[in-house]
Structure formats: structure tokens, C-alpha cells
Amino acid sequence: MSASDETLTTALIVDHYIDSRAALRAYFGNPHADPVRFTGASPADVARDLHERLAELELSQSLILLAAIEASFRIDFEKRCAGRKRAKLAKTFRQIRKTRGERIRLEEDILETWKAEGSLSRALIGDIKGALKLRHWLAHGRYWTAKLGRKYDFDSLVALAEALDESDLLLS
């Protein structure tokens, strides 16, 4: 598998979120600009609709951010497998690749190996695993009541992605 040229950085995702949020606020802040959409809507209706759209934007951008975090781990995995380094992490990843083929599991194979190797903090790995519960819930259509253990918002996920970026341990 080769890495795509279309992977997203945290900065690009944050910029898109900020721009989209500003656009929604501008759109809902001037309901007279779209009389068909807002005909008969009270100020409370407009405020409610804006709040709902902003909440949905936050969830959708959170999913994209979590997918980008997953992609960074998978790209790192592939690069370490393809390389000839004799480091313990690379050797373990190559053994996992040999055993599991293309069916590499993010949590069990990649994150647990990072945890056992010890260079990526256990706390960060735990936070990522917790956030992946949100990703699963979002990616599978939110058809169950999520039990996440803590509340995640876009800002907390950005902080998580930035902590991973700042660790400077993943090959990109």
C-alpha cells in the first residue's frame, strides 16, 4: 500500500472548520439574504438552526480529524515495514505485516505495539484509543448511544492531534 498525496494535516482541517463556522454564522446572521430558506422563521428558529448546523459541523470535522490521526499511524506503519531499519518497532511491525497481511488493526496491532515499545506515551495512546470510540460512533452512523468515557469536542481532538504531531515520532 502506498501513501496518498491527499492526506490532511491538522492545520488544514482546523482552517476548514474555522472557515465553515464563519460561513455558517454569516449565513444565519443575515436571514434576509435567503428569503426562501428563512420565510416564516422566527429569530429563535434561526438561532436554533444555526446551533444545530454548528454542532453537526463540529462532529463531521471531528470525524475527519480522527481519520487523519488514524492515517498518520497507518502511514508510519507502512513506512516502517517498507524500510530496512533494524529498530525493534520496525521489526515488530514487519512481523505483524507478515502475520496479518493487509488486515492490520489500528488499536490491537499498531497502537498496542507503540505502547509496548514505550517511546510514545501511554497517556497519549490511551487518549487516542478513547477518541477512537467517538470515531467509530460517528463513522457508523451514530445508531447507538455512545459511551465515550469523557466528552470530546473539536478543540480537545485538535489538542490530541497536535500532541501527536509534537511527539515527532511518527514517520510522515
Side-chain angles (χ1 to χ4, degrees), residues 110-122 125-126 129:
I110 298 174
L111 293 178
E112 282 301 316
T113 301
W114 271 104
K115 186 173 163 183
E117 193 268 342
S119 59
L120 197 58
S121 89
R122 288 178 162 285
I125 292 170
K129 282 183 161 188

Side-chain angles (χ1 to χ4, degrees), residues 88-170:
K88 182 180 178 196
L89 183 62
K91 284 181 178 181
T92 305
F93 280 168
R94 284 192 291 272
Q95 184 58 46
I96 291 169
R97 160 69 69 223
K98 186 177 179 181
T99 304
R100 297 204 43 80
E102 294 296 316
R103 295 181 321 269
I104 306 303
R105 300 167 301 185
L106 177 62
E107 291 184 53
E108 297 87 349
D109 297 326
I110 298 174
L111 293 178
E112 282 301 316
T113 301
W114 271 104
K115 186 173 163 183
E117 193 268 342
S119 59
L120 197 58
S121 89
R122 288 178 162 285
L124 182 56
I125 292 170
D127 289 344
I128 291 167
K129 282 183 161 188
L132 287 173
K133 292 178 185 175
L134 173 63
R135 180 203 169 284
H136 297 316
W137 180 69
L138 292 169
H140 293 282
R142 302 181 252 181
Y143 70 89
W144 68 88
T145 301
K147 294 178 182 151
L148 304 175
R150 66 172 263 210
K151 181 161 174 30
Y152 293 95
D153 60 14
F154 186 74
D155 292 333
S156 67
L157 296 173
V158 168
L160 182 63
E162 288 174 344
L164 183 60
D165 291 345
E166 289 167 9
S167 77
D168 235 3
L169 293 171
L170 298 184

Side-chain angles (χ1 to χ4, degrees), residues 1-7 71-72 74-76 78-79 171-172:
M1 177 187 311
S2 63
S4 165
D5 292 334
E6 297 183 38
T7 56
S72 65
R74 290 190 179 276
I75 290 167
D76 174 83
E78 294 299 331
K79 286 186 175 187
L171 303 176
S172 53

